[in-house]
Amino acid sequence: MDGDRPLGSTVLLDISDEADLAELKQALAILDGPCGHCMCFGEPTLELRSNQQERLAVLSIHHGHSLRCAAWKDDAELIDERRLLTGWPTMACLAARGILGE
């Protein structure tokens, strides 16, 4: 992610199922307060869109333990990074849905 845009244009997964979105929301829960600012771009990047396809936010995942959003000054620490690493939106989760990494 660079600023408030994903670096690439390839969409690996597009979800709109309410149960999947609720699971993703729980996996992305963050602690209140900053946790520094990683110097990498982060990956994967999540682009959150409205039902009308308007971009709501772009989040990049940093080393499986923090999130970045352009609206925040610093990165935010995930409450349960293990949940993220074993659930949404990791490559294992994508692979389980037929999307294989390189």
Side-chain angles (χ1 to χ4, degrees):
M1 156 174 148
D2 185 18
D4 66 346
R5 298 199 174 272
L7 288 174
S9 60
T10 302
V11 175
L12 298 178
L13 183 63
D14 184 351
I15 62 168
S16 57
D17 177 77
E18 292 296 324
D20 285 345
L21 291 171
E23 185 180 335
L24 175 61
K25 180 180 177 179
Q26 291 177 356
L28 296 176
I30 56 173
L31 294 170
D32 188 19
C35 73
H37 191 87
C38 178
M39 297 305 291
C40 75
F41 288 115
E43 64 176 322
T45 299
L46 306 173
E47 187 174 43
L48 308 178
R49 292 184 168 264
S50 71
N51 289 337
Q52 293 75 34
Q53 294 303 306
E54 297 172 73
R55 183 183 295 138
L56 301 174
V58 176
L59 304 172
S60 61
I61 300 171
H62 291 263
H63 310 285
H65 107 115
S66 63
L67 293 178
R68 178 172 300 153
C69 179
W72 308 333
K73 179 181 178 199
D74 291 306
D75 298 344
E77 186 175 355
L78 291 162
I79 289 175
D80 184 359
E81 65 186 56
R82 183 174 266 304
R83 184 175 192 154
L84 178 64
L85 296 173
T86 60
W88 289 100
T90 64
M91 294 310 289
C93 179
L94 294 173
R97 288 162 175 78
I99 302 164
L100 304 176
E102 297 177 18

